[in-house]
């Protein structure tokens, strides 16, 4: 994940968006990672340091290496929190940002300015100090039609599980070079993806490593 990348992860609820993203992060181990954990997702609870205070989360980005997970306050202005989150990621730079439930904070025709800046300029830019920066961005969502267009049109990696709506399936099928009906029939945890420069899509199934059952392993032998 050294190259600046933009990754779109789609699929209906429970198809494996978060699980696949967690596996990608476990493999790539980005030294600087910031996560917008929109719904305080238990499957991400093991991911780095969790913050409910955005100021504290932003201050923690001063470090050289960090894994930070911000859980927005849904009782306050979420758009303002996302704006600050994106501005901080852009200013700090050279990090991997993950935004879960992207359609909750962006709309097809109304991307917040700070998010748009991350998406449009994040590949390579210079900060006020003249130092080069870049961003790796993962955006997760159930429906591509609800994600902003600059994100959809700039993806280096498009990864999807099953989608429920034919309109979404057609949009993704065009980008993936597959039949949209296949996307509507994928079982949970099955995925199709296409990386920039690859003509043919890849297909796969998410698997999980079995946990060692320590309770039975530690049982004393009679
Ligand atoms: N580490 C894991 N081990 C086993 N099953 C998992 C693990 N992580 C997620 N799952 C299962 O994978 C499925 C997809 O979950 P998730 O990735 O959260 O879906 P989505 O983000 O698309 O809604 C769920 O049924 C979940 O229980
Ligand atoms: Mg999810």
């Amino acid at each position: 994940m050294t190259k600046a990348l933009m990754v779109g992860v789609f699929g209906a609820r429970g198809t494996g968006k978060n699980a696949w993203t967690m596996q990608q992060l476990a493999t790539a181990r980005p030294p600087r990672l910031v996560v917008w954990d929109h719904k305080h997702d238990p499957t991400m609870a093991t991911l780095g340091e969790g913050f409910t205070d955005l100021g504290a989360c932003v201050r923690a980005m001063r470090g050289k290496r960090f894994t930070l997970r911000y859980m927005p306050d849904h009782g306050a202005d979420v758009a303002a929190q996302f704006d600050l989150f994106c501005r901080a990621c852009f200013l700090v730079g050279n990090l991997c940002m993950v935004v879960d439930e992207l359609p909750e904070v962006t709309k097809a025709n109304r991307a917040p300015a700070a998010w748009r800046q991350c998406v449009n300029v994040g590949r390579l830019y210079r900060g006020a100090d003249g130092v080069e920066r870049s961003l790796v961005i993962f955006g997760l969502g159930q429906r591509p039609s609800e994600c902003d267009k600059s994100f959809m049109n700039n993806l280096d990696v498009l990864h999807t599980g099953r989608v429920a709506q034919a309109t979404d399936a057609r949009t993704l099928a065009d980008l993936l070079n597959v039949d949209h009906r296949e996307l509507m029939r994928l079982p949970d945890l099955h995925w199709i993806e296409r990386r920039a420069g690859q003509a043919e899509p890849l297909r796969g199934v998410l698997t999980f490593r079995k946990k060692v059952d320590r309770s039975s392993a530690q049982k004393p032998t009679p």
Side-chain angles (χ1 to χ4, degrees):
M1 217 186 279
T2 45
K3 187 178 162 282
L5 271 183
M6 202 143 68
V7 184
V9 188
F10 300 99
R13 193 187 311 151
T15 51
K17 298 181 295 297
N18 283 77
W20 181 79
T21 304
M22 289 287 284
Q23 290 187 2
Q24 295 296 300
L25 297 173
T27 305
R29 300 169 67 91
R32 295 152 66 87
L33 173 64
V34 187
V35 180
W36 173 270
D37 181 4
H38 189 81
K39 57 178 196 191
H40 308 192
D41 191 328
T43 67
M44 295 205 289
T46 54
L47 196 57
E49 196 178 346
F51 288 86
T52 50
D53 177 339
L54 184 51
C57 181
V58 170
R59 283 191 292 278
M61 292 185 197
R62 287 195 186 123
K64 249 187 144 166
R65 303 172 69 91
F66 45 78
T67 301
L68 314 172
R69 185 169 39 84
Y70 177 60
M71 295 168 276
D73 176 357
H74 292 276
D77 184 345
V78 172
Q81 295 169 66
F82 187 61
D83 175 66
L84 183 56
F85 177 89
C86 291
R87 281 195 285 142
C89 288
F90 190 82
L91 265 176
V92 173
N94 295 330
L95 53 77
C96 172
M97 71 192 280
V98 175
V99 178
D100 195 17
E101 306 293 346
L102 187 59
E104 294 295 320
V105 284
T106 73
K107 291 285 165 271
N109 296 309
R110 191 165 43 82
W115 165 251
R116 215 170 45 224
Q117 188 177 39
C118 291
V119 165
N120 289 341
V121 188
R123 199 169 291 274
L124 191 64
Y125 60 100
R126 278 182 203 281
D129 53 8
V131 177
E132 276 193 351
R133 291 169 167 78
S134 66
L135 297 170
V136 173
I137 303 175
F138 281 72
L140 286 65
Q142 295 187 32
R143 305 195 56 194
S145 59
E146 293 178 346
C147 292
D148 61 291
K149 292 203 171 69
S150 35
F151 177 70
M152 291 306 300
N153 294 335
N154 275 302
L155 293 176
D156 300 288
V157 180
L158 172 57
H159 178 99
T160 189
R162 182 183 66 259
V163 286
Q165 271 89 359
T167 46
D168 292 319
R170 286 200 188 92
T171 304
L172 293 171
D174 277 352
L175 295 165
L176 289 164
N177 198 19
V178 300
D179 186 322
H180 79 280
R181 286 165 298 189
E182 182 182 358
L183 295 183
M184 297 181 74
R185 285 196 295 253
L186 287 173
D188 281 347
L189 307 182
H190 286 237
W191 53 259
I192 302 184
E193 77 176 33
R194 188 172 176 191
R195 292 176 182 258
Q198 289 179 342
E200 292 306 316
L202 275 174
R203 291 169 172 79
V205 186
L206 264 181
T207 55
F208 300 104
R209 246 183 296 163
K210 274 200 191 112
K211 278 191 191 141
V212 179
D213 185 352
R214 295 191 185 281
S215 59
S216 60
Q218 283 172 356
K219 264 184 201 150
T221 43

